[in-house]
Amino acid sequence: MKRRAFILAMTAAAVVPPAFAQGKPMKIGVIGSGRIGSTIGGLWVKAGHEVMFSDRDAEQVKRAIEGLGPRARAGSVPEAAAFGDAVLIAVPYMALPAIQQQVGAQLKGKVVIDPNNPVPSRDGDMAVEARAKGAGVSSAALLPGARIVRSFNAWGYATMAREANRAAPRMALPVAADDAAALKLGLQLVSDAGFDPVNAGSLASSKAFDLGSPVSGRILTAAELRQALSLKP
């Protein structure tokens, strides 16, 4: 039993970034430095993490890091994927296959925060299927090997920028993942961004807070969000 417990502990340690396990600031890569990516990445910088922002638009990266200080830096998409203990991907949903093709090998085994929403009018037929299946499950299929954490997806950047780190009770955001260690890290990163994280279960269950769901865009406390998602207190 002791040997089995030791093996389980070592396995868990192997999939959690050392900095996170030690309670230290992490290195986070951001792929897509538009409104969502720059907002969330900026909140993590202010929380003390080191963040590398990347985007196909170099000017957008410059705007994202402006005024954030030395913990924010610019890089290419492959550099951000390699840099991060965890990686936030914030791109149009139709760009996910291209991201997989470009840096999918680097993302294998890494925690990937997924706020991406399939929008048929923008993303085409792939978005119709993704919405039917659920965006979290679909993102995991598009980025095989990445440890997907679904969060930040159904609230606008302006709302999150305004509500982050407000006085208690803080705005709550749901977090879902199929990987227990990834879920734990995701909950912490949502907290570090200035919100109350709510464990919403698996990626399949994250369909309940997809864009357009009854909780989408609503500013709720953790207790209110749990009730709205029919989660246990």
Side-chain angles (χ1 to χ4, degrees):
M1 289 295 292
K2 288 183 179 181
R3 178 176 173 78
R4 182 172 181 274
F6 174 77
I7 292 172
L8 289 173
M10 292 300 290
T11 301
V15 296
V16 174
F20 173 68
Q22 297 165 16
K24 296 179 179 179
M26 290 177 54
K27 293 181 177 180
I28 303 172
V30 173
I31 297 175
S33 298
R35 291 172 173 176
I36 294 293
S38 64
T39 297
I40 300 169
L43 292 170
W44 284 331
V45 170
K46 293 171 184 177
H49 297 295
E50 293 183 54
V51 180
M52 180 179 285
F53 294 84
S54 69
D55 196 279
R56 62 182 181 179
D57 183 346
E59 292 301 315
Q60 194 152 260
V61 176
K62 289 180 181 178
R63 291 192 294 270
I65 67 175
E66 186 176 1
L68 289 178
R71 287 193 296 268
R73 65 188 75 182
S76 66
V77 169
E79 287 170 340
F83 174 84
D85 297 322
V87 178
L88 169 73
I89 299 178
V91 297
Y93 210 82
M94 61 182 172
L96 288 179
I99 297 294
Q100 166 62 20
Q101 186 174 14
Q102 185 179 12
V103 294
Q106 292 170 274
L107 296 175
K108 284 187 177 180
K110 286 198 176 187
V111 173
V112 171
I113 310 299
D114 170 40
N116 303 294
N117 293 306
V119 180
S121 61
R122 178 193 64 194
D123 304 313
D125 290 344
M126 68 173 295
V128 176
E129 182 180 355
R131 289 185 67 173
K133 290 173 59 179
V137 171
S138 298
S139 295
L142 290 168
L143 300 169
R147 298 157 65 207
I148 299 294
V149 174
R150 184 80 173 152
S151 195
F152 299 108
N153 59 289
W155 290 264
Y157 78 97
T159 297
M160 291 191 286
R162 183 185 67 243
E163 296 295 326
N165 295 303
R166 75 178 186 187
R170 298 197 299 180
M171 174 181 166
L173 290 180
V175 184
D178 290 340
D179 179 300
L183 177 63
K184 185 176 181 180
L185 190 151
L187 291 167
Q188 184 61 53
L189 287 178
V190 169
S191 178
D192 291 348
F195 306 96
D196 270 351
V198 170
N199 182 345
S202 67
L203 289 177
S205 67
S206 73
K207 188 176 181 180
F209 60 89
D210 271 353
L211 186 67
S213 68
V215 301
S216 176
R218 295 176 61 190
I219 300 172
L220 303 171
T221 66
E224 290 168 341
L225 181 59
R226 289 189 187 96
Q227 184 176 21
L229 293 175
S230 300
L231 301 171
K232 294 180 180 179

PDB file of all heavy atoms in Angstrom, residues 23-26 28 39-51 68 71 165 170 188-195:
ATOM      1  N   GLY A  23       3.662  26.521  -4.834  1.00  0.00           N
ATOM      2  CA  GLY A  23       2.974  27.759  -4.515  1.00  0.00           C
ATOM      3  C   GLY A  23       3.697  28.997  -5.008  1.00  0.00           C
ATOM      4  O   GLY A  23       3.520  30.091  -4.465  1.00  0.00           O
ATOM      5  N   LYS A  24       4.503  28.851  -6.063  1.00  0.00           N
ATOM      6  CA  LYS A  24       5.270  29.974  -6.593  1.00  0.00           C
ATOM      7  C   LYS A  24       4.634  30.483  -7.886  1.00  0.00           C
ATOM      8  O   LYS A  24       3.822  29.803  -8.506  1.00  0.00           O
ATOM      9  CB  LYS A  24       6.712  29.527  -6.875  1.00  0.00           C
ATOM     10  CG  LYS A  24       7.487  29.106  -5.631  1.00  0.00           C
ATOM     11  CD  LYS A  24       8.898  28.661  -6.018  1.00  0.00           C
ATOM     12  CE  LYS A  24       9.690  28.256  -4.780  1.00  0.00           C
ATOM     13  NZ  LYS A  24      11.063  27.788  -5.144  1.00  0.00           N
ATOM     14  N   PRO A  25       5.006  31.711  -8.297  1.00  0.00           N
ATOM     15  CA  PRO A  25       4.507  32.217  -9.582  1.00  0.00           C
ATOM     16  C   PRO A  25       4.857  31.267 -10.728  1.00  0.00           C
ATOM     17  O   PRO A  25       5.919  30.645 -10.724  1.00  0.00           O
ATOM     18  CB  PRO A  25       5.228  33.560  -9.744  1.00  0.00           C
ATOM     19  CG  PRO A  25       5.534  33.983  -8.343  1.00  0.00           C
ATOM     20  CD  PRO A  25       5.839  32.710  -7.606  1.00  0.00           C
ATOM     21  N   MET A  26       3.971  31.179 -11.687  1.00  0.00           N
ATOM     22  CA  MET A  26       4.147  30.271 -12.811  1.00  0.00           C
ATOM     23  C   MET A  26       4.536  31.028 -14.064  1.00  0.00           C
ATOM     24  O   MET A  26       4.412  32.250 -14.145  1.00  0.00           O
ATOM     25  CB  MET A  26       2.848  29.512 -13.073  1.00  0.00           C
ATOM     26  CG  MET A  26       2.486  28.504 -12.010  1.00  0.00           C
ATOM     27  SD  MET A  26       0.884  27.740 -12.388  1.00  0.00           S
ATOM     28  CE  MET A  26       1.176  27.154 -14.050  1.00  0.00           C
ATOM     29  N   ILE A  28       3.331  31.358 -17.862  1.00  0.00           N
ATOM     30  CA  ILE A  28       2.110  31.105 -18.621  1.00  0.00           C
ATOM     31  C   ILE A  28       2.290  31.638 -20.032  1.00  0.00           C
ATOM     32  O   ILE A  28       2.690  32.789 -20.237  1.00  0.00           O
ATOM     33  CB  ILE A  28       0.889  31.772 -17.965  1.00  0.00           C
ATOM     34  CG1 ILE A  28       0.731  31.292 -16.512  1.00  0.00           C
ATOM     35  CG2 ILE A  28      -0.376  31.465 -18.766  1.00  0.00           C
ATOM     36  CD1 ILE A  28      -0.324  32.046 -15.728  1.00  0.00           C
ATOM     37  N   THR A  39      -6.633  40.470 -21.741  1.00  0.00           N
ATOM     38  CA  THR A  39      -7.290  40.750 -20.450  1.00  0.00           C
ATOM     39  C   THR A  39      -6.901  39.714 -19.399  1.00  0.00           C
ATOM     40  O   THR A  39      -6.443  40.066 -18.305  1.00  0.00           O
ATOM     41  CB  THR A  39      -8.819  40.775 -20.615  1.00  0.00           C
ATOM     42  OG1 THR A  39      -9.179  41.849 -21.488  1.00  0.00           O
ATOM     43  CG2 THR A  39      -9.501  40.979 -19.260  1.00  0.00           C
ATOM     44  N   ILE A  40      -7.061  38.444 -19.725  1.00  0.00           N
ATOM     45  CA  ILE A  40      -6.759  37.394 -18.755  1.00  0.00           C
ATOM     46  C   ILE A  40      -5.264  37.331 -18.480  1.00  0.00           C
ATOM     47  O   ILE A  40      -4.835  37.226 -17.324  1.00  0.00           O
ATOM     48  CB  ILE A  40      -7.289  36.033 -19.252  1.00  0.00           C
ATOM     49  CG1 ILE A  40      -8.802  36.091 -19.445  1.00  0.00           C
ATOM     50  CG2 ILE A  40      -6.936  34.928 -18.249  1.00  0.00           C
ATOM     51  CD1 ILE A  40      -9.373  34.896 -20.176  1.00  0.00           C
ATOM     52  N   GLY A  41      -4.456  37.401 -19.536  1.00  0.00           N
ATOM     53  CA  GLY A  41      -3.013  37.395 -19.345  1.00  0.00           C
ATOM     54  C   GLY A  41      -2.547  38.553 -18.482  1.00  0.00           C
ATOM     55  O   GLY A  41      -1.676  38.394 -17.615  1.00  0.00           O
ATOM     56  N   GLY A  42      -3.133  39.727 -18.692  1.00  0.00           N
ATOM     57  CA  GLY A  42      -2.775  40.884 -17.883  1.00  0.00           C
ATOM     58  C   GLY A  42      -3.128  40.698 -16.416  1.00  0.00           C
ATOM     59  O   GLY A  42      -2.371  41.112 -15.519  1.00  0.00           O
ATOM     60  N   LEU A  43      -4.263  40.066 -16.157  1.00  0.00           N
ATOM     61  CA  LEU A  43      -4.651  39.794 -14.761  1.00  0.00           C
ATOM     62  C   LEU A  43      -3.658  38.840 -14.104  1.00  0.00           C
ATOM     63  O   LEU A  43      -3.326  38.991 -12.923  1.00  0.00           O
ATOM     64  CB  LEU A  43      -6.068  39.214 -14.716  1.00  0.00           C
ATOM     65  CG  LEU A  43      -7.194  40.177 -15.107  1.00  0.00           C
ATOM     66  CD1 LEU A  43      -8.516  39.427 -15.258  1.00  0.00           C
ATOM     67  CD2 LEU A  43      -7.337  41.305 -14.072  1.00  0.00           C
ATOM     68  N   TRP A  44      -3.165  37.872 -14.860  1.00  0.00           N
ATOM     69  CA  TRP A  44      -2.167  36.945 -14.298  1.00  0.00           C
ATOM     70  C   TRP A  44      -0.837  37.635 -14.039  1.00  0.00           C
ATOM     71  O   TRP A  44      -0.173  37.355 -13.043  1.00  0.00           O
ATOM     72  CB  TRP A  44      -1.977  35.760 -15.238  1.00  0.00           C
ATOM     73  CG  TRP A  44      -3.102  34.768 -15.188  1.00  0.00           C
ATOM     74  CD1 TRP A  44      -3.910  34.488 -14.116  1.00  0.00           C
ATOM     75  CD2 TRP A  44      -3.548  33.919 -16.246  1.00  0.00           C
ATOM     76  NE1 TRP A  44      -4.827  33.519 -14.447  1.00  0.00           N
ATOM     77  CE2 TRP A  44      -4.635  33.147 -15.743  1.00  0.00           C
ATOM     78  CE3 TRP A  44      -3.137  33.729 -17.555  1.00  0.00           C
ATOM     79  CZ2 TRP A  44      -5.301  32.201 -16.508  1.00  0.00           C
ATOM     80  CZ3 TRP A  44      -3.802  32.785 -18.336  1.00  0.00           C
ATOM     81  CH2 TRP A  44      -4.876  32.026 -17.818  1.00  0.00           C
ATOM     82  N   VAL A  45      -0.442  38.546 -14.915  1.00  0.00           N
ATOM     83  CA  VAL A  45       0.784  39.312 -14.672  1.00  0.00           C
ATOM     84  C   VAL A  45       0.654  40.093 -13.368  1.00  0.00           C
ATOM     85  O   VAL A  45       1.561  40.103 -12.521  1.00  0.00           O
ATOM     86  CB  VAL A  45       1.074  40.271 -15.843  1.00  0.00           C
ATOM     87  CG1 VAL A  45       2.210  41.232 -15.481  1.00  0.00           C
ATOM     88  CG2 VAL A  45       1.437  39.493 -17.102  1.00  0.00           C
ATOM     89  N   LYS A  46      -0.484  40.753 -13.178  1.00  0.00           N
ATOM     90  CA  LYS A  46      -0.706  41.544 -11.975  1.00  0.00           C
ATOM     91  C   LYS A  46      -0.744  40.675 -10.726  1.00  0.00           C
ATOM     92  O   LYS A  46      -0.467  41.157  -9.620  1.00  0.00           O
ATOM     93  CB  LYS A  46      -1.996  42.355 -12.114  1.00  0.00           C
ATOM     94  CG  LYS A  46      -1.880  43.436 -13.188  1.00  0.00           C
ATOM     95  CD  LYS A  46      -3.218  44.095 -13.475  1.00  0.00           C
ATOM     96  CE  LYS A  46      -3.085  45.091 -14.629  1.00  0.00           C
ATOM     97  NZ  LYS A  46      -4.387  45.703 -14.997  1.00  0.00           N
ATOM     98  N   ALA A  47      -1.066  39.380 -10.909  1.00  0.00           N
ATOM     99  CA  ALA A  47      -1.068  38.445  -9.774  1.00  0.00           C
ATOM    100  C   ALA A  47       0.324  37.912  -9.475  1.00  0.00           C
ATOM    101  O   ALA A  47       0.510  37.186  -8.499  1.00  0.00           O
ATOM    102  CB  ALA A  47      -2.015  37.281 -10.062  1.00  0.00           C
ATOM    103  N   GLY A  48       1.309  38.255 -10.311  1.00  0.00           N
ATOM    104  CA  GLY A  48       2.684  37.851 -10.048  1.00  0.00           C
ATOM    105  C   GLY A  48       3.254  36.793 -10.965  1.00  0.00           C
ATOM    106  O   GLY A  48       4.420  36.417 -10.831  1.00  0.00           O
ATOM    107  N   HIS A  49       2.452  36.282 -11.913  1.00  0.00           N
ATOM    108  CA  HIS A  49       2.946  35.267 -12.842  1.00  0.00           C
ATOM    109  C   HIS A  49       3.748  35.912 -13.975  1.00  0.00           C
ATOM    110  O   HIS A  49       3.575  37.097 -14.284  1.00  0.00           O
ATOM    111  CB  HIS A  49       1.778  34.479 -13.428  1.00  0.00           C
ATOM    112  CG  HIS A  49       1.004  33.703 -12.416  1.00  0.00           C
ATOM    113  ND1 HIS A  49       1.548  32.653 -11.699  1.00  0.00           N
ATOM    114  CD2 HIS A  49      -0.286  33.827 -11.980  1.00  0.00           C
ATOM    115  CE1 HIS A  49       0.636  32.152 -10.876  1.00  0.00           C
ATOM    116  NE2 HIS A  49      -0.489  32.845 -11.026  1.00  0.00           N
ATOM    117  N   GLU A  50       4.610  35.112 -14.580  1.00  0.00           N
ATOM    118  CA  GLU A  50       5.326  35.547 -15.781  1.00  0.00           C
ATOM    119  C   GLU A  50       4.520  35.079 -16.988  1.00  0.00           C
ATOM    120  O   GLU A  50       4.188  33.896 -17.092  1.00  0.00           O
ATOM    121  CB  GLU A  50       6.720  34.937 -15.835  1.00  0.00           C
ATOM    122  CG  GLU A  50       7.667  35.435 -14.751  1.00  0.00           C
ATOM    123  CD  GLU A  50       9.047  34.830 -14.934  1.00  0.00           C
ATOM    124  OE1 GLU A  50       9.609  34.948 -16.038  1.00  0.00           O
ATOM    125  OE2 GLU A  50       9.539  34.222 -13.976  1.00  0.00           O
ATOM    126  N   VAL A  51       4.232  36.010 -17.881  1.00  0.00           N
ATOM    127  CA  VAL A  51       3.362  35.690 -19.009  1.00  0.00           C
ATOM    128  C   VAL A  51       4.035  36.094 -20.319  1.00  0.00           C
ATOM    129  O   VAL A  51       4.509  37.224 -20.458  1.00  0.00           O
ATOM    130  CB  VAL A  51       1.997  36.403 -18.881  1.00  0.00           C
ATOM    131  CG1 VAL A  51       1.104  36.059 -20.076  1.00  0.00           C
ATOM    132  CG2 VAL A  51       1.308  36.009 -17.576  1.00  0.00           C
ATOM    133  N   LEU A  68       2.601  46.583 -18.523  1.00  0.00           N
ATOM    134  CA  LEU A  68       2.504  45.460 -17.587  1.00  0.00           C
ATOM    135  C   LEU A  68       3.813  45.168 -16.848  1.00  0.00           C
ATOM    136  O   LEU A  68       3.812  44.378 -15.905  1.00  0.00           O
ATOM    137  CB  LEU A  68       2.047  44.193 -18.323  1.00  0.00           C
ATOM    138  CG  LEU A  68       0.584  44.176 -18.789  1.00  0.00           C
ATOM    139  CD1 LEU A  68       0.290  42.892 -19.548  1.00  0.00           C
ATOM    140  CD2 LEU A  68      -0.374  44.334 -17.611  1.00  0.00           C
ATOM    141  N   ARG A  71       7.363  41.337 -16.021  1.00  0.00           N
ATOM    142  CA  ARG A  71       6.832  39.963 -15.987  1.00  0.00           C
ATOM    143  C   ARG A  71       6.052  39.612 -17.252  1.00  0.00           C
ATOM    144  O   ARG A  71       5.663  38.465 -17.438  1.00  0.00           O
ATOM    145  CB  ARG A  71       5.965  39.753 -14.750  1.00  0.00           C
ATOM    146  CG  ARG A  71       6.758  39.664 -13.442  1.00  0.00           C
ATOM    147  CD  ARG A  71       5.899  39.145 -12.309  1.00  0.00           C
ATOM    148  NE  ARG A  71       4.813  40.054 -11.992  1.00  0.00           N
ATOM    149  CZ  ARG A  71       4.877  41.025 -11.079  1.00  0.00           C
ATOM    150  NH1 ARG A  71       5.995  41.205 -10.391  1.00  0.00           N
ATOM    151  NH2 ARG A  71       3.838  41.816 -10.846  1.00  0.00           N
ATOM    152  N   ASN A 165     -11.117  40.904  -9.141  1.00  0.00           N
ATOM    153  CA  ASN A 165     -10.565  41.396  -7.869  1.00  0.00           C
ATOM    154  C   ASN A 165     -11.454  42.413  -7.162  1.00  0.00           C
ATOM    155  O   ASN A 165     -10.969  43.220  -6.372  1.00  0.00           O
ATOM    156  CB  ASN A 165      -9.176  42.012  -8.098  1.00  0.00           C
ATOM    157  CG  ASN A 165      -8.163  40.985  -8.544  1.00  0.00           C
ATOM    158  OD1 ASN A 165      -7.925  39.990  -7.877  1.00  0.00           O
ATOM    159  ND2 ASN A 165      -7.577  41.223  -9.713  1.00  0.00           N
ATOM    160  N   ARG A 170     -16.801  37.984  -4.653  1.00  0.00           N
ATOM    161  CA  ARG A 170     -16.271  38.164  -5.995  1.00  0.00           C
ATOM    162  C   ARG A 170     -17.167  37.485  -7.028  1.00  0.00           C
ATOM    163  O   ARG A 170     -17.924  36.573  -6.714  1.00  0.00           O
ATOM    164  CB  ARG A 170     -14.846  37.592  -6.089  1.00  0.00           C
ATOM    165  CG  ARG A 170     -13.859  38.282  -5.172  1.00  0.00           C
ATOM    166  CD  ARG A 170     -12.418  38.001  -5.566  1.00  0.00           C
ATOM    167  NE  ARG A 170     -12.064  36.580  -5.505  1.00  0.00           N
ATOM    168  CZ  ARG A 170     -10.852  36.110  -5.808  1.00  0.00           C
ATOM    169  NH1 ARG A 170      -9.888  36.945  -6.175  1.00  0.00           N
ATOM    170  NH2 ARG A 170     -10.587  34.812  -5.735  1.00  0.00           N
ATOM    171  N   GLN A 188      -6.973  27.344  -9.518  1.00  0.00           N
ATOM    172  CA  GLN A 188      -6.046  28.316  -8.949  1.00  0.00           C
ATOM    173  C   GLN A 188      -5.834  29.503  -9.886  1.00  0.00           C
ATOM    174  O   GLN A 188      -5.791  30.662  -9.443  1.00  0.00           O
ATOM    175  CB  GLN A 188      -4.700  27.652  -8.640  1.00  0.00           C
ATOM    176  CG  GLN A 188      -3.713  28.579  -7.948  1.00  0.00           C
ATOM    177  CD  GLN A 188      -4.216  29.073  -6.593  1.00  0.00           C
ATOM    178  OE1 GLN A 188      -4.589  28.267  -5.744  1.00  0.00           O
ATOM    179  NE2 GLN A 188      -4.260  30.387  -6.410  1.00  0.00           N
ATOM    180  N   LEU A 189      -5.706  29.240 -11.174  1.00  0.00           N
ATOM    181  CA  LEU A 189      -5.480  30.333 -12.113  1.00  0.00           C
ATOM    182  C   LEU A 189      -6.699  31.242 -12.236  1.00  0.00           C
ATOM    183  O   LEU A 189      -6.560  32.447 -12.444  1.00  0.00           O
ATOM    184  CB  LEU A 189      -5.087  29.778 -13.485  1.00  0.00           C
ATOM    185  CG  LEU A 189      -3.665  29.205 -13.564  1.00  0.00           C
ATOM    186  CD1 LEU A 189      -3.400  28.636 -14.957  1.00  0.00           C
ATOM    187  CD2 LEU A 189      -2.621  30.267 -13.224  1.00  0.00           C
ATOM    188  N   VAL A 190      -7.889  30.692 -12.127  1.00  0.00           N
ATOM    189  CA  VAL A 190      -9.091  31.529 -12.110  1.00  0.00           C
ATOM    190  C   VAL A 190      -9.098  32.403 -10.857  1.00  0.00           C
ATOM    191  O   VAL A 190      -9.422  33.597 -10.915  1.00  0.00           O
ATOM    192  CB  VAL A 190     -10.357  30.667 -12.208  1.00  0.00           C
ATOM    193  CG1 VAL A 190     -11.616  31.493 -11.918  1.00  0.00           C
ATOM    194  CG2 VAL A 190     -10.465  30.039 -13.591  1.00  0.00           C
ATOM    195  N   SER A 191      -8.717  31.823  -9.732  1.00  0.00           N
ATOM    196  CA  SER A 191      -8.617  32.598  -8.498  1.00  0.00           C
ATOM    197  C   SER A 191      -7.561  33.695  -8.617  1.00  0.00           C
ATOM    198  O   SER A 191      -7.786  34.845  -8.228  1.00  0.00           O
ATOM    199  CB  SER A 191      -8.282  31.674  -7.322  1.00  0.00           C
ATOM    200  OG  SER A 191      -8.125  32.407  -6.127  1.00  0.00           O
ATOM    201  N   ASP A 192      -6.407  33.346  -9.201  1.00  0.00           N
ATOM    202  CA  ASP A 192      -5.338  34.330  -9.363  1.00  0.00           C
ATOM    203  C   ASP A 192      -5.756  35.473 -10.274  1.00  0.00           C
ATOM    204  O   ASP A 192      -5.266  36.603 -10.128  1.00  0.00           O
ATOM    205  CB  ASP A 192      -4.086  33.658  -9.930  1.00  0.00           C
ATOM    206  CG  ASP A 192      -3.421  32.708  -8.944  1.00  0.00           C
ATOM    207  OD1 ASP A 192      -3.776  32.724  -7.747  1.00  0.00           O
ATOM    208  OD2 ASP A 192      -2.547  31.934  -9.368  1.00  0.00           O
ATOM    209  N   ALA A 193      -6.638  35.199 -11.216  1.00  0.00           N
ATOM    210  CA  ALA A 193      -7.123  36.247 -12.113  1.00  0.00           C
ATOM    211  C   ALA A 193      -8.107  37.184 -11.417  1.00  0.00           C
ATOM    212  O   ALA A 193      -8.465  38.231 -11.984  1.00  0.00           O
ATOM    213  CB  ALA A 193      -7.774  35.632 -13.341  1.00  0.00           C
ATOM    214  N   GLY A 194      -8.542  36.804 -10.221  1.00  0.00           N
ATOM    215  CA  GLY A 194      -9.396  37.696  -9.444  1.00  0.00           C
ATOM    216  C   GLY A 194     -10.847  37.305  -9.361  1.00  0.00           C
ATOM    217  O   GLY A 194     -11.715  38.134  -9.087  1.00  0.00           O
ATOM    218  N   PHE A 195     -11.141  36.006  -9.550  1.00  0.00           N
ATOM    219  CA  PHE A 195     -12.514  35.521  -9.508  1.00  0.00           C
ATOM    220  C   PHE A 195     -12.642  34.362  -8.527  1.00  0.00           C
ATOM    221  O   PHE A 195     -11.648  33.744  -8.160  1.00  0.00           O
ATOM    222  CB  PHE A 195     -12.958  35.054 -10.904  1.00  0.00           C
ATOM    223  CG  PHE A 195     -12.784  36.092 -11.968  1.00  0.00           C
ATOM    224  CD1 PHE A 195     -11.653  36.099 -12.776  1.00  0.00           C
ATOM    225  CD2 PHE A 195     -13.734  37.078 -12.149  1.00  0.00           C
ATOM    226  CE1 PHE A 195     -11.466  37.063 -13.747  1.00  0.00           C
ATOM    227  CE2 PHE A 195     -13.562  38.058 -13.123  1.00  0.00           C
ATOM    228  CZ  PHE A 195     -12.426  38.055 -13.920  1.00  0.00           C
TER     229      PHE A 195
END
